[in-house]
Amino acid sequence: MAVLVWLLIPVAGAVVAGLWSVWATRRSTNVKGVRDHAGVRGYEAFRAAMERAPADG
């Protein structure tokens, strides 16, 4: 019986890891299925600001 308990530990760990990986990699989309517009707009604004910044040196 003790052997079954020791075998259950890695099996339970594998199940938990599988469930966590599915949860962690799920796509967070809005109603239209488009992902993270605000983040993309912020990144584009950052790139534009860095391109306009004067170069030191």
Side-chain angles (χ1 to χ4, degrees), residues 1-54:
M1 189 68 174
V3 173
L4 292 178
V5 172
W6 280 107
L7 289 175
L8 184 62
I9 292 171
V11 170
V15 169
V16 170
L19 291 173
W20 178 82
S21 68
V22 167
W23 177 79
T25 59
R26 74 191 189 288
R27 292 187 59 128
S28 58
T29 58
N30 63 9
V31 176
K32 295 180 183 177
V34 181
R35 190 172 183 181
D36 198 16
H37 280 298
V40 172
R41 281 194 307 266
Y43 176 69
E44 291 297 327
F46 171 76
R47 284 188 53 200
M50 292 304 291
E51 289 174 359
R52 288 192 309 262

